Amino acid sequence: MLCLCLYVPVLGQEQAEFEYFESKGLPAELKSIFRLSLFIPSQEFSTYRQWKQKIVKAGDKDLDGQLDFEEFVHYLQDHEKKLRLVFKSLDKKNDGRIDAQEIVQSLRDLGVKISEQQAEKILKSMDKNGTMTIDWNEWRDYHLLHPVENIPEIILYWKHSTIFDVGENLTVPDEFTVEERQTGMWWRHLVAGGGAGAVSRTCTAPLDRLKVLMQVHASRSNNMCIIGGFTQMIREGGPRSLWRGNGINVLKIAPESAIKFMAYEQIKRFIGTDQEMLRIHERLLAGSLAGAIAQSSIYPMEVLKTRMALRKTGQYSGMLDCAKNILSKEGMAAFYKGYIPNMLGIIPYAGIDLAVYETLKNAWLQRYAVNSADPGVFVLLACGTISSTCGQLASYPLALVRTRMQAQASVEGAPEVTMRGLFKHILKTEGAFGLYRGLAPNFMKVIPAVSISYVVYENLKMTLGVQSR
C-alpha cells in the first residue's frame, strides 16, 4: 500500500497522523509499505484545510467526499495539462521562459492592467534560481497544488454566444473583460453581433417562414412537405412572400441584445461573484434570467413576427397596420399569447446549449489541446452548431405550442385553448410527432445561419476596429 501521510506538530504533544491518500491498485509484488510524510506547522493548518477542500472538490470523481490516491494522481495529471496550456499562452516569445513583460502583456490582453514592478513581484514569488524569469518547472511546481476552476485564456478562445445567431433569441449573452467595457469595445462586439444576426436571419428567412407555416398549419390531414410549402408560398404571394415576417425579426435584434446584455451585467453583480468569468451554473442562471427579461420586454414583437409570417397577400399593409388590427380586434392581451411556453423554453434551450458546448469543449481540450488552447474556426463552428441544435431539439415542443398560441386568432375556426390544452390536443390528434412539426426546415437553417453569422461577424469586427484574440 502506498500512503501519503500528513503529520501536524502541536506544541507539547506527540506528532499525530492526520490524513492520507492510499492506493489499492498497486501490483501485488509491492508488499512493503512505502510512506511519504509531509510536515507542516500547526499555524498553517487552516491553510491546509482550505487547500484540501478545493483539491477534493476538483478531483473527487466518485463523489464520496474523499480523495483516494488514484483520484489524487488523476487530478495532478489533469491540472498539469491545464497549466501547460496557460504557460504556452503566456510564453509570447516561445523561448520556454516567462518574463515580466510577457506577464504584463498577457494580463493586459485579459483586461487587467499592472505595472512592470508588480509583474516582477509576481515573478519573484515563483522564481527559485534568481533569473527573474520562470521556466516550466518553476511554473508547474508553484501552481500544481492550486486548483484552477476557470482559465480565462481558454474561455476567451471559446466565447461563442454573440456570433452564433440562429434566430431563436435564447442564447446566453457574451461576457466582456473589464478592458473591453472601459474602452467601449463591448458595444462594437454587440453591433457586430447584431449586424451578423440581421444578415443571417435575412438569408435564412424563407426557411424560418416555412417552419412557422408547418408549425401552425401542418397536420396528419395536411402533411406539408418542404418543397410543397415553398411552392405554396410562392404561388400565394410570389417570391417576395418568402421573407414575410423578416422585417420585424431583424428589428427586434437591437433592443433584445441591449436589454439582455444590461440585464446580464446587473444579474452578475447581484450574484456577487468576484470572478471576471462566471462558472457554468452561474452563466446558466444569469443567462436564463437575462433572456427572460429581454424576451418579456420585446415579446409583442414576437407575436407580430408570427402574424406577419402567417398573413395572406393584402391582409395587412405593414407592421403598424398589423399591430393596430390585433389591438382593435383582440386587445392588448393578444400580444402576450404563448408567453408562458416561451419563458419555459428558455431554461432547457440555454441549459442544454451550454452543457453540450462545455462537454464538447472539454472533450476537445482533453484529446487534442497540446500546445495551444485555440481550437480553430472549424471546431468552434462545429461545437456551436451541435450545441445549438441540441438546445433547439429539447425546447422545440414548447416553441411549437408558443407559435400556435400566437397564431390562434389568425387561423379560421381555431378555438381559444391553454398551453396544457394545446399539448393534450396535439398529442391526441397527431401523436408525439405532432410536437415536432417544422423541425426539418428549422434544422436546415442552423448550419447556414451559424456560418453566415460567423463570416459577417468577423468582417464587421475588422471594420469596427475590434481586435480578435
Side-chain angles (χ1 to χ4, degrees), residues 108-217:
R108 188 168 294 167
D109 290 343
L110 295 175
V112 179
K113 294 184 179 180
I114 64 171
S115 65
E116 195 159 333
Q117 290 75 21
Q118 291 172 314
E120 288 175 357
K121 287 184 180 180
I122 296 174
L123 276 175
K124 286 179 181 178
S125 66
M126 292 181 268
D127 182 22
K128 293 181 179 180
N129 52 19
T131 60
M132 288 305 291
T133 60
I134 308 166
D135 60 23
W136 161 243
N137 290 329
E138 290 171 326
W139 173 268
R140 179 197 59 201
D141 294 346
Y142 181 83
H143 289 97
L144 197 56
L145 297 181
H146 295 260
V148 174
E149 297 177 356
N150 207 354
I151 299 177
E153 178 69 18
I154 294 177
I155 290 177
L156 285 171
Y157 275 122
W158 288 86
K159 291 199 301 184
H160 78 294
S161 58
T162 295
I163 61 174
F164 298 132
D165 186 327
V166 292
E168 298 303 315
N169 316 310
L170 301 177
T171 48
V172 175
D174 211 342
E175 294 182 39
F176 299 102
T177 64
V178 173
E179 184 181 26
E180 286 172 330
R181 289 196 292 267
Q182 290 176 346
T183 59
M185 282 295 175
W186 65 271
W187 69 260
R188 292 183 174 91
H189 278 280
L190 290 182
V191 170
V199 175
S200 170
R201 293 184 189 193
T202 301
C203 291
T204 58
L207 286 168
D208 193 58
R209 189 186 177 214
L210 178 61
K211 177 195 73 173
V212 173
L213 288 174
M214 293 177 74
Q215 284 178 332
V216 175
H217 296 299

Side-chain angles (χ1 to χ4, degrees), residues 36-273:
L36 172 63
S37 299
L38 175 67
F39 295 88
I40 63 172
S42 56
Q43 62 266 26
E44 295 180 9
F45 183 64
S46 61
T47 303
Y48 163 75
R49 294 183 79 98
Q50 295 174 0
W51 169 83
K52 177 180 178 292
Q53 289 174 356
K54 292 182 179 179
I55 292 290
V56 170
K57 182 180 178 181
D60 186 15
K61 301 299 181 183
D62 53 15
L63 304 177
D64 60 355
Q66 301 292 326
L67 197 68
D68 60 30
F69 190 79
E70 282 77 14
E71 289 175 329
F72 182 64
V73 171
H74 183 272
Y75 161 76
L76 291 178
Q77 291 173 339
D78 183 61
H79 191 59
E80 184 173 334
K81 188 171 185 177
K82 293 178 181 178
L83 289 175
R84 184 171 286 279
L85 287 173
V86 179
F87 183 83
K88 289 282 186 182
S89 66
L90 291 173
D91 184 14
K92 306 290 186 183
K93 300 174 184 175
N94 293 320
D95 58 358
R97 292 184 172 275
I98 301 172
D99 58 28
Q101 291 181 346
E102 288 172 321
I103 290 178
V104 170
Q105 182 60 46
S106 297
L107 290 176
R108 188 168 294 167
D109 290 343
L110 295 175
V112 179
K113 294 184 179 180
I114 64 171
S115 65
E116 195 159 333
Q117 290 75 21
Q118 291 172 314
E120 288 175 357
K121 287 184 180 180
I122 296 174
L123 276 175
K124 286 179 181 178
S125 66
M126 292 181 268
D127 182 22
K128 293 181 179 180
N129 52 19
T131 60
M132 288 305 291
T133 60
I134 308 166
D135 60 23
W136 161 243
N137 290 329
E138 290 171 326
W139 173 268
R140 179 197 59 201
D141 294 346
Y142 181 83
H143 289 97
L144 197 56
L145 297 181
H146 295 260
V148 174
E149 297 177 356
N150 207 354
I151 299 177
E153 178 69 18
I154 294 177
I155 290 177
L156 285 171
Y157 275 122
W158 288 86
K159 291 199 301 184
H160 78 294
S161 58
T162 295
I163 61 174
F164 298 132
D165 186 327
V166 292
E168 298 303 315
N169 316 310
L170 301 177
T171 48
V172 175
D174 211 342
E175 294 182 39
F176 299 102
T177 64
V178 173
E179 184 181 26
E180 286 172 330
R181 289 196 292 267
Q182 290 176 346
T183 59
M185 282 295 175
W186 65 271
W187 69 260
R188 292 183 174 91
H189 278 280
L190 290 182
V191 170
V199 175
S200 170
R201 293 184 189 193
T202 301
C203 291
T204 58
L207 286 168
D208 193 58
R209 189 186 177 214
L210 178 61
K211 177 195 73 173
V212 173
L213 288 174
M214 293 177 74
Q215 284 178 332
V216 175
H217 296 299
S219 62
R220 283 181 176 173
S221 58
N222 179 25
N223 192 15
M224 185 185 296
C225 64
I226 293 174
I227 296 176
F230 278 125
T231 303
Q232 180 181 323
M233 284 190 289
I234 294 173
R235 186 182 299 146
E236 193 274 332
R240 288 186 61 185
S241 67
L242 297 176
W243 277 267
R244 282 180 186 167
N246 181 61
I248 191 75
N249 198 29
V250 169
L251 280 177
K252 67 187 178 70
I253 292 176
E256 184 183 21
S257 299
I259 294 169
K260 194 189 309 184
F261 169 72
M262 290 186 290
Y264 188 67
E265 291 299 311
Q266 293 301 318
I267 293 166
K268 279 172 63 177
R269 293 190 183 93
F270 181 77
I271 290 174
T273 179

